[in-house]
Amino acid sequence: MSRIGFIGLGMMGRPMAHLLHAAGHSLVVQDVNREAATGFAAEHDSTQVATSGQDFADCDAVITMLPNSDIVDAVVQGLRLRPGACMIEMSSADPNRTRALAARLQQQGVALIDAPVSGGVKKAVAGTLAIMVGGDEQVFAQQKPLLEVLGKAISHVGPVGAGHALKALNNYVSAAALLATAEAVHVGAAFGIDAATIVDVINASTGKNNTTENKAHQFMLNGAFNSGFSLALQAKDVGIAAALGTSVNLPMALAQKVHAMTADASQALGPAADHTELYKFVGRA
Ligand code: NAD
């Protein structure tokens, strides 16, 4: 069993770290919210709460599950990692910045793979996340058993940064479908069709998508708005996708529009808003 560093014990990171502990790995944990780390250690025996970056020096691998690239870069800069260790960057982050980070770590003899996830809190708890990995194939093969504790569909998708690129593109497609669904439901309802009927009929028709199948009834029409994925994180992901298009000289007109809508909604609804609250925001507009 390995010694694993785990940084970022939020909605996703906590259940992921729990599964690694249950699989027998020894953990060193860190979170800027100290209670998240001490609370986790209290419930998971022989877990160490890191008090400095030095505490990760004996880790075989360090996993980050953090909000964005700014935070990942700042956190990694403070870590003391041993040559031969592997950084597994599982946040949803900017692929170009991930490449730059991997190059910096390589100079210290530390390999980085980016391994962002899809599936949300439910699949994080179940250990059935989809994981898309960018990086050296040999490093990926070495780390795959660890990733298999956390996910089911684990794909190597290209060189470093490719996982983060694909994750941002996926979340852009998902956000576009969510906004389209929200508009369709509100307009149909204003025309006099029952909202639940609209979702059910789309689910039996060609407009079916992840929002109509797994979010509309579960988090939107019932007013729950508690999927566990924040609107701020969704807006960040769509912004990454739009910037990626620009970086390869293929500006994405629709992604820019979706980013503007999600960012405006996030600003209006505040940092605590769940991404499913876009449904409310579209209705209000
Ligand atoms: P979250 O906000 O619940 O958790 C982030 C954690 O990072 C928090 O515990 C926070 O205290 C900690 N943190 C922030 N700054 C830190 C720092 N400087 N040092 C140490 N810890 C710090 O977010 P989440 O929903 O768990 O998402 C984490 C990542 O996973 C994000 O990149 C997100 O886009 C991605 N993601 C989320 C979901 C989801 O459904 N929630 C799904 C797939 C991917």
Side-chain angles (χ1 to χ4, degrees), residues 9-12 31-32 65-67 71 75 92 117 120 228-229 236:
L9 297 162
M11 295 297 293
M12 297 292 287
D31 195 294
V32 74
M65 195 57 180
L66 293 164
I71 293 175
V75 166
S92 303
V117 306
F229 180 43
K236 168 212 55 171

Side-chain angles (χ1 to χ4, degrees), residues 25 37 41 65 94-95 101 112 117 134 184 187 203-204 221 261 269 279:
H25 297 292
M65 195 57 180
D94 182 319
L101 176 63
L112 179 146
V117 306
V187 168
N203 272 335
L221 300 190
M261 289 174 79
L269 299 177
Y279 176 70

Side-chain angles (χ1 to χ4, degrees), residues 10-255:
M11 295 297 293
M12 297 292 287
R14 193 181 202 287
M16 292 164 68
H18 171 77
L19 291 178
L20 291 168
H21 181 269
H25 297 292
S26 119
L27 299 183
V28 184
V29 298
Q30 179 174 302
D31 195 294
V32 74
N33 169 9
R34 187 132 179 97
E35 267 175 32
T38 53
F40 182 90
E43 290 170 22
H44 296 83
D45 58 8
S46 52
T47 295
Q48 180 187 349
V49 177
T51 51
S52 82
Q54 179 70 41
D55 290 336
F56 295 91
D58 62 347
C59 287
D60 304 298
V62 176
I63 295 175
T64 37
M65 195 57 180
L66 293 164
N68 57 45
S69 289
D70 282 344
I71 293 175
V72 170
D73 280 353
V75 166
V76 174
Q77 201 174 11
L79 298 182
R80 180 79 173 274
L81 302 175
R82 65 167 175 77
C86 182
M87 192 70 238
I88 308 180
E89 216 300 78
M90 301 194 77
S91 326
S92 303
D94 182 319
N96 286 311
R97 293 183 61 177
T98 303
R99 284 199 171 158
L101 176 63
R104 291 198 294 278
L105 286 172
Q106 199 173 24
Q107 290 171 0
Q108 303 166 30
V110 173
L112 179 146
I113 56 174
D114 45 309
V117 306
S118 185
V121 175
K122 206 167 142 190
K123 291 196 173 182
V125 170
T128 56
L129 291 163
I131 307 180
M132 45 208 101
V133 183
D136 181 86
E137 284 200 59
Q138 218 178 326
V139 179
F140 165 62
Q142 282 160 4
Q143 301 303 330
K144 200 169 175 212
L146 205 57
L147 298 176
E148 282 168 344
V149 175
L150 306 172
K152 285 285 168 270
I154 303 170
S155 320
H156 182 259
V157 299
V160 165
H164 280 158
L166 191 43
K167 169 63 185 171
L169 293 169
N170 172 75
N171 279 24
Y172 151 56
V173 172
S174 177
L178 189 154
L179 281 170
T181 302
E183 284 182 342
V185 172
H186 281 297
V187 168
F191 195 69
I193 311 170
D194 174 60
T197 303
I198 296 169
V199 172
D200 292 342
V201 170
I202 291 178
N203 272 335
S205 309
T206 53
K208 180 168 78 170
N209 64 77
N210 186 43
T211 292
T212 57
E213 287 190 294
N214 298 313
K215 297 180 186 175
H217 284 301
Q218 297 83 343
F219 303 116
M220 295 171 164
L221 300 190
N222 62 3
F225 302 118
N226 61 350
S227 77
F229 180 43
S230 76
L231 178 54
L233 288 177
Q234 184 191 48
K236 168 212 55 171
D237 290 340
V238 182
I240 291 171
L244 180 63
T246 305
S247 80
V248 296
N249 292 322
L250 287 170
M252 300 159 80
L254 183 58

